[in-house]
Amino acid sequence: MPMCTTGIGYGMVVVSGLVCIYYNVIIAWTLHFLFSSFTSALPWASCDNPWNTENCTLAANHSALEENVTRISPTQEYWNNRVLGISAGIEETGTVQWELALCLLGAWVVVFFCLFKGIKSSGKVVYFTATFPYMMLIVLFLRGVTLEGAGKGLVYYLTPDFSRLADSQVWYDAASQIFYSLGIAFGGTQVMASYNKFNNNTHRDSVFIALSNCCTSVFAGVVVFSILGHMAHKLDMDVKDVVANGPGLVFVAYPEALTLLPVAPLWSVLFFFMIFTVGLDTQFVMLETCITGICDEFPHIMQKYKTWVLLVVSVAMYLLGLTCVTNAGMYWLNLMDWYSAGFSLMVLAFFMCVAISWVYGFQRFCKNVQEMIGYQPNYYFKICWAVISPMVLLFIVVFSMVVHVPAYYGDYQYPGWAICIGWFMALLSIIMVPLFAVLAILKAKGSFMERLRYACESSDDWGPALVSTSSAESSQSEPEKKVPLQDTEGTGNSYISTI
């Protein structure tokens, strides 16, 4: 790809690195709940614990509601007081929660040993981590739809509200969700694809992944809302009042729903083990993106020390993640999640579409695809790459800037210095694009237009493996050139350079 677009790859590595820091903290929370579930009675099922307050009220006790006393469920108090030990704000750091610190260490140890032998070792692990959640979802589905009140939740889930289509915020939230769900602009898909054989049908895989992702999301929604409907029935509440946003769905609403199931500890163990395996899949890809980006950009120095690079990066990210397991850890994690991989993802995706379609050329890109799979993508993909996707992404980027709301957590408003740190994390990845574009222009020789033209051209050694390079294709007078095969053994190609 053109040298001026190298910054997109670096930006994706930065985004994946920032998310790796706090995403493993979420896995650590999952481990905490998993270990706490190995008991005869779930610790968040009652108000008789040292961390409970006088406002703790069981679901069956409606007297507190009648007296207009603020009701706090035991699950909410377990989450805030026992697990997080949450302080009043990000400025009150407090101390490190040693149990969470140990869970975070355990999460990083698991991730390291699953990746230290390279992509082949993680590929074997994924056979289990990718299939077990489906088995667990099927079990939970069969159990959920048979619960009393499950239909109430399913009706709420499957009844459309077409008036919300006029709400632009809905479209922005949908775009953000699909970016996370499909891993768009994180770089992970490019890294994993670089380990495929040259003639792997990436066109088929991309369609299958998108469809299976959406189908899985719909099916998971059925599972979630069948149990939430049961919970709403037991609490005599509307389903919309039971659902909590963000981590509250997994670590507050769902644990409370699990207490309403027979043999609750067993279901809790299975559920949080499922969440743990799902989290590992995501963490594998993001960390592999960082490691592959570093080692492939400096192959002569880093490639033979890849295990040590993995160890150093894992230790560094663990130490940085300790901030998220202090008493103010939830505020830090929410701040990182708000800024590090939201707005910046859409900006990177926009530049990636422009780079492929209008700098490199979508026709040349389609020819490269044809060289790999034997045919070109249809006109739908060409129109999306060249027109629809860049326009939609540009609209989302502009819209997100116009309606931007500073980060908050519940009723807590972040101070100005914290918002500045958040924007620094957001711009840290975006700044890579203009930075490397300027460096490419400065390295070139000649007038400004000659420098710009040179920076927008592909390097001479870039091109599909064992196929004519882009430069050879663009010049009919030159004989067809061949480049060495880069992926016969599944070693992966340089992802930063090619993006």
Side-chain angles (χ1 to χ4, degrees):
M1 291 293 283
M3 289 175 285
C4 66
T5 63
T6 304
I8 301 174
Y10 277 97
M12 291 178 178
V13 171
V14 171
V15 168
S16 293
L18 290 173
V19 176
C20 272
I21 295 172
Y22 73 82
Y23 196 87
N24 232 19
V25 176
I26 299 176
I27 298 179
W29 293 343
T30 303
L31 286 176
H32 188 286
F33 275 87
L34 177 62
F35 296 147
S36 300
S37 300
F38 287 96
T39 179
S40 58
L42 295 176
W44 56 84
S46 68
C47 293
D48 303 325
N49 303 288
W51 56 82
N52 293 127
T53 67
E54 62 275 7
N55 292 329
C56 180
T57 308
L58 293 174
N61 186 355
H62 296 282
S63 60
L65 294 175
E66 297 171 357
E67 296 172 3
N68 294 323
V69 176
T70 302
R71 173 188 177 272
I72 303 178
S73 69
T75 310
Q76 184 72 51
E77 290 203 340
Y78 180 83
W79 169 243
N80 286 332
N81 302 339
R82 176 69 176 86
V83 179
L84 299 179
I86 193 167
S87 63
I90 194 172
E91 61 275 2
E92 297 181 16
T93 304
T95 60
V96 174
Q97 302 287 92
W98 67 270
E99 289 182 351
L100 286 182
L102 290 177
C103 288
L104 181 61
L105 177 62
W108 275 111
V109 169
V110 171
V111 171
F112 173 80
F113 279 104
C114 288
L115 290 178
F116 84 105
K117 286 189 176 181
I119 193 66
K120 290 184 178 180
S121 62
S122 64
K124 295 176 181 178
V125 174
V126 168
Y127 278 117
F128 173 77
T129 59
T131 55
F132 176 75
Y134 284 97
M135 294 187 291
M136 188 62 204
L137 280 175
I138 293 174
V139 172
L140 287 176
F141 168 77
L142 296 175
R143 183 69 188 106
V145 296
T146 59
L147 292 172
E148 186 178 9
K152 183 179 181 180
L154 294 177
V155 169
Y156 177 84
Y157 174 61
L158 298 174
T159 301
D161 183 2
F162 293 106
S163 63
R164 298 297 304 277
L165 295 178
D167 186 357
S168 54
Q169 184 65 37
V170 171
W171 293 95
Y172 176 77
D173 292 340
S176 300
Q177 176 60 34
I178 205 66
F179 267 66
Y180 271 92
S181 185
L182 288 176
I184 300 174
F186 278 97
T189 53
Q190 288 88 342
V191 169
M192 295 297 110
S194 71
Y195 291 97
N196 284 329
K197 294 180 180 179
F198 175 73
N199 61 350
N200 181 72
N201 195 331
T202 54
H203 181 270
R204 176 203 60 202
D205 290 350
S206 62
V207 174
F208 174 77
I209 290 172
L211 291 177
S212 60
N213 173 76
C214 294
C215 292
T216 301
S217 299
V218 172
F219 180 63
V222 172
V223 175
V224 169
F225 279 88
S226 63
I227 295 180
L228 290 178
H230 174 68
M231 182 179 175
H233 173 77
K234 287 289 186 179
L235 298 175
D236 193 21
M237 298 170 60
D238 292 331
V239 177
K240 62 181 180 65
D241 297 325
V242 176
V243 178
N245 294 323
L249 179 61
V250 176
F251 298 108
V252 177
Y254 231 115
E256 186 165 344
L258 291 170
T259 63
L260 304 176
L261 299 176
V263 198
L266 174 62
W267 291 106
S268 183
V269 168
L270 293 175
F271 173 76
F272 285 108
F273 184 68
M274 178 192 74
I275 298 299
F276 175 67
T277 58
V278 172
L280 284 181
D281 284 343
T282 304
Q283 187 72 1
F284 288 161
V285 175
M286 290 189 297
L287 187 59
E288 184 66 29
T289 299
C290 300
I291 302 303
T292 300
I294 295 172
C295 294
D296 282 4
E297 187 67 1
F298 308 100
H300 302 294
I301 303 175
M302 298 293 187
Q303 197 66 49
K304 59 182 178 180
Y305 300 112
K306 191 171 183 178
T307 301
W308 288 103
V309 174
L310 174 63
L311 178 61
V312 171
V313 171
S314 298
V315 171
M317 288 185 174
Y318 169 73
L319 295 176
L320 291 172
L322 288 177
T323 306
C324 297
V325 295
T326 62
N327 296 118
M330 186 63 211
Y331 301 107
W332 282 107
L333 187 143
N334 184 66
L335 184 70
M336 295 181 70
D337 183 51
W338 194 288
Y339 287 101
S340 64
F343 173 77
S344 55
L345 282 179
M346 300 179 191
V347 174
L348 290 175
F350 169 75
F351 281 118
M352 183 167 60
C353 285
V354 172
I356 292 175
S357 299
W358 298 105
V359 180
Y360 180 69
F362 75 92
Q363 289 291 2
R364 297 171 66 189
F365 180 72
C366 290
K367 288 181 180 179
N368 294 150
V369 174
Q370 183 178 15
E371 290 169 337
M372 292 187 291
I373 65 177
Y375 60 91
Q376 290 195 16
N378 57 41
Y379 283 103
Y380 169 78
F381 287 95
K382 294 179 181 180
I383 294 173
C384 284
W385 292 337
V387 181
I388 297 178
S389 294
M391 289 180 62
V392 171
L393 286 170
L394 181 61
F395 167 77
I396 293 174
V397 169
V398 174
F399 171 77
S400 61
M401 295 175 63
V402 172
V403 301
H404 171 71
V405 177
Y408 62 89
Y409 180 72
D411 296 329
Y412 175 76
Q413 300 294 327
Y414 283 84
W417 62 266
I419 300 297
C420 291
I421 293 177
W423 274 111
F424 172 77
M425 289 186 290
L427 296 176
L428 191 61
S429 57
I430 298 175
I431 197 66
M432 296 295 173
V433 179
L435 175 63
F436 279 89
V438 171
L439 289 176
I441 294 174
L442 293 177
K443 288 181 180 179
K445 297 179 180 179
S447 64
F448 175 77
M449 292 306 299
E450 291 175 337
R451 289 168 178 257
L452 182 62
R453 188 180 303 109
Y454 175 79
C456 292
E457 292 178 351
S458 302
S459 56
D460 292 334
D461 61 349
W462 191 92
L466 292 185
V467 183
S468 60
T469 62
S470 302
S471 58
E473 290 179 358
S474 61
S475 176
Q476 298 180 357
S477 61
E478 294 183 12
E480 187 180 61
K481 298 180 181 180
K482 302 287 186 178
V483 294
L485 181 63
Q486 300 175 356
D487 195 26
T488 56
E489 300 296 333
T491 55
N493 301 327
S494 179
Y495 136 74
I496 291 183
S497 299
T498 56
I499 289 184

